[in-house]
Amino acid sequence: MMKTTGFTLVDLLVLIVYLLAVLVAGLYFSKKEMSGKEFFKGDGSVPWYVTSVSIFATMLSPISFLGLAGNSYAGSWILWFAQLGMVIAIPLAIKYVLPIFARMDIDTAYDYLERRFEAKSLRVISALLFIVYQLGRMSIIMYLPSVGLAKLTGIDINILIILMGVIAIVYSYTGGLKSVLWTDFIQGVILSGGALIALFVLIKDIDGGMGAIAEQLAHGKFIAPTEKWFDPNILSGSIFLIIFGSGLTIFSSYASSQDLVQRFTTTQNIKKLNKMLFTNGVLSLGVATVFYLIGTGLYVFYQLQNVSEATKAIPRDQIFIYFIAYQLPVGVTGIILAAIYAAAQSTISTGLNSVATSWTLDIQEVVAKEMSDKVRTRIAQIVSLLVGIFSIVVAIVMAHSDIKSAYEWFNGFMGLVLGLLGGIFILGFVTKKANKQGAYAALIVATIVMVCIKYVLPPEAVNYWAYSFISISVSLVVGYVVSLLTGNKASAPQFTTIHDIPEILADKSWEKRH
């Protein structure tokens, strides 16, 4: 039976208890003072499975939490196949990326670029692109879920944004990466548990239960009749392109996105790194499947069995939160809202820590003289604090103005540019001949090509899922040709390309460290 009110006092208490628990947990794991590399990489005491769940929680934002269910509610499961891109990305990362990163003992993702291409400026440029992208992303992630929560709970949106930001700032500032990893782990568990509870309640409320959902999946809700498994025009939309394009995108993120690469720097043990990535893949695919089942279940519940004008008018990305508010038992609503908050906070805390790390190690230390561990840590803490405050302010401004669309454009543009970095990393991995002139040329030309494709050509000309394939291909071709033309008498530094993998794996002396 539908509740008469969406958010009760009990739900509010559950949400408050959750926020306090996360804050206490973050402070607990930061009780040992972290400095220097311990602040940026942890102290080696965090289990691999905690880091794995942290990667999962980082990649799944609150926008995904609500959006995945909305996709299958309004349409089919075609975008679920993007999760299968991990079947491509994870084996490639395990075979080619993790051994190189572990053997080099990199400090950041962009440390690799400097050492591979012997170009400090390339490291600084790449770090700046990542930082600007993260600033926009964190602001949006603070703003968007707070809008829905404010409408549902009646709590002022400013308070929700400030709470979300302040709690993330506190444990990011005090305990560095270790606190972030452990709190991300807790929030990843809450997120997954909340999704499973919601699915269980939904199946119970549907006449026919899981059988009714399966029937819809068999009659067009899994794959619509108009959706193609394969299209000879590889730039056109198809399930094959979604899997392939997603695989390249995820692989590029594993190689070039500091918020993910930072997790790989917590250990040099290749077996732990492999388990870390494999577990993350299983978690991501499993939880995404739960969300898509929820979406199809919501379609059965609201479009077939409990049809009303009110639910017809609800946007697809808000239908899940509507169900959470009015169909879940008192108290359980609070748990699921805590899960949404968890998805936001894990992404924000990771963003704060990765930006602080990248600014300190990729920019401050590269352009300035050598710094002590104490100075590095202090700079990172100040940056974390300032970036957190900046993101809170921007999110509040967005909540009281009409600049949302501008920020969405900004976020999409920077995400496109950041994705181009993956091509530079892959160029460095696959050929010893690539030099810094080739890397710069690859970044510039690929950026021009992708901006033209995205903002000049008609949207239907090139499917979004082909972007990674195009940008990586352009980067490889341009980078290799320019490297040959400009000459590269010196070989690539040791342990920086996939050609070094046999030698890396044969050397067991480093593998057991950390």
Side-chain angles (χ1 to χ4, degrees):
M1 182 178 293
M2 182 177 291
K3 292 189 294 186
T4 55
T5 182
F7 192 73
T8 67
L9 179 60
V10 174
D11 295 318
L12 178 62
L13 290 174
V14 169
L15 187 58
I16 291 173
V17 168
Y18 160 76
L19 293 174
L20 290 174
V22 169
L23 181 59
V24 170
L27 293 174
Y28 173 80
F29 290 114
S30 65
K31 62 182 181 180
K32 173 188 173 183
E33 183 179 355
M34 296 287 175
S35 62
K37 287 197 174 183
E38 283 190 349
F39 187 87
F40 303 114
K41 293 186 174 186
D43 59 1
S45 66
V46 180
W48 65 267
Y49 58 85
V50 170
T51 307
S52 182
V53 174
S54 174
I55 296 173
F56 155 74
T58 297
M59 295 179 75
L60 191 65
S61 72
I63 302 170
S64 302
F65 192 105
L66 301 174
L68 294 180
N71 286 339
S72 56
Y73 170 77
S76 70
W77 279 42
I78 190 167
L79 292 181
W80 173 83
F81 287 91
Q83 307 300 318
L84 294 184
M86 291 191 177
V87 176
I88 297 173
I90 289 176
L92 287 175
I94 286 175
K95 186 171 183 179
Y96 297 120
V97 177
L98 297 187
I100 293 173
F101 283 179
R103 184 64 180 90
M104 291 177 68
D105 192 18
I106 60 171
D107 291 327
T108 71
Y110 316 114
D111 181 18
Y112 170 82
L113 291 181
E114 179 188 354
R115 290 157 71 176
R116 169 62 183 87
F117 294 108
E118 299 177 340
K120 288 185 177 182
S121 54
L122 186 61
R123 177 176 182 175
V124 173
I125 291 169
S126 302
L128 283 172
L129 287 174
F130 170 78
I131 289 170
V132 174
Y133 162 76
Q134 277 292 350
L135 287 174
R137 184 170 185 247
M138 285 188 289
S139 300
I140 291 169
I141 286 174
M142 281 187 190
Y143 163 69
L144 288 179
S146 296
V147 172
L149 288 171
K151 290 179 181 177
L152 182 62
T153 63
I155 300 173
D156 184 83
I157 189 170
N158 299 326
I159 295 174
L160 289 171
I161 291 173
I162 291 170
L163 272 176
M164 187 183 295
V166 167
I167 292 174
I169 288 171
V170 168
Y171 60 77
S172 299
Y173 179 94
T174 54
L177 185 61
K178 182 177 179 179
S179 286
V180 171
L181 292 176
W182 273 106
T183 49
D184 277 5
F185 173 75
I186 294 169
Q187 296 181 128
V189 171
I190 294 290
L191 188 157
S192 304
L196 287 171
I197 291 171
L199 178 61
F200 175 78
V201 174
L202 178 59
I203 291 173
K204 180 179 67 68
D205 288 348
I206 291 173
D207 292 337
M210 192 64 200
I213 296 176
E215 182 180 355
Q216 291 304 311
L217 291 176
H219 291 85
K221 285 298 284 182
F222 186 64
I223 299 296
T226 56
E227 293 167 344
K228 305 174 184 177
W229 284 93
F230 179 78
D231 192 318
N233 177 6
I234 60 171
L235 301 183
S236 181
S238 68
I239 292 173
F240 168 80
L241 179 62
I242 290 174
I243 297 173
F244 181 66
S246 172
L248 292 180
T249 300
I250 297 170
F251 177 64
S252 294
S253 297
Y254 286 154
S256 64
S257 189
Q258 170 61 14
D259 51 351
L260 299 181
V261 173
Q262 191 170 10
R263 271 75 181 146
F264 305 151
T265 66
T266 59
T267 180
Q268 286 180 273
N269 187 309
I270 197 67
K271 292 181 180 178
K272 289 183 179 179
L273 287 169
N274 291 348
K275 288 191 291 186
M276 195 186 296
L277 261 194
F278 179 77
T279 303
N280 169 63
V282 172
L283 270 175
S284 298
L285 183 59
V287 173
T289 302
V290 170
F291 282 125
Y292 273 88
L293 282 172
I294 288 171
T296 305
L298 291 171
Y299 172 80
V300 174
F301 188 78
Y302 285 123
Q303 296 294 326
L304 300 180
Q305 296 183 0
N306 298 277
V307 182
S308 71
E309 292 301 319
T311 54
K312 284 182 179 180
I314 297 173
R316 68 182 189 178
D317 288 344
Q318 295 180 23
I319 193 67
F320 187 23
I321 202 166
Y322 183 85
F323 176 84
I324 291 169
Y326 290 102
Q327 290 298 138
L328 296 184
V330 172
V332 177
T333 295
I335 293 173
I336 310 300
L337 292 179
I340 297 175
Y341 226 75
Q345 278 197 311
S346 62
T347 304
I348 293 165
S349 63
T350 294
L352 291 175
N353 190 263
S354 60
V355 166
T357 298
S358 195
W359 176 270
T360 305
L361 302 183
D362 291 320
I363 298 174
Q364 190 81 27
E365 192 165 73
V366 170
V367 300
K369 294 181 179 179
E370 186 73 19
M371 298 182 292
S372 66
D373 284 348
K374 184 177 180 179
V375 171
R376 283 196 202 99
T377 305
R378 188 59 183 159
I379 290 173
Q381 289 177 326
I382 293 172
V383 170
S384 180
L385 176 63
L386 293 178
V387 167
I389 294 172
F390 176 82
S391 299
I392 289 172
V393 171
V394 172
I396 291 175
V397 170
M398 290 175 69
H400 298 280
S401 66
D402 296 323
I403 64 171
K404 173 187 169 184
S405 58
Y407 264 86
E408 287 180 342
W409 178 90
F410 169 83
N411 191 42
F413 176 76
M414 289 312 304
L416 175 67
V417 174
L418 183 64
L420 293 167
L421 290 177
I424 310 303
F425 276 82
I426 294 172
L427 174 68
F429 291 144
V430 301
T431 174
K432 286 179 174 288
K433 294 184 180 295
N435 60 16
K436 65 180 177 182
Q437 290 85 357
Y440 283 123
L443 180 60
I444 293 168
V445 175
T447 299
I448 294 171
V449 169
M450 295 312 300
V451 168
C452 288
I453 288 174
K454 186 172 177 65
Y455 298 108
V456 178
L457 293 180
E460 65 274 8
V462 179
N463 188 276
Y464 168 82
W465 293 105
Y467 286 4
S468 292
F469 172 70
I470 295 171
S471 61
I472 290 172
S473 298
V474 171
S475 296
L476 290 176
V477 172
V478 172
Y480 186 76
V481 170
V482 172
S483 295
L484 291 181
L485 292 176
T486 55
N488 186 32
K489 295 180 181 179
S491 60
Q494 191 179 25
F495 304 133
T496 60
T497 74
I498 61 175
H499 305 285
D500 302 314
I501 298 294
E503 184 180 351
I504 291 173
L505 296 179
D507 179 11
K508 301 294 184 181
S509 62
W510 59 276
E511 192 176 83
K512 295 181 180 179
R513 283 183 285 172
H514 303 290

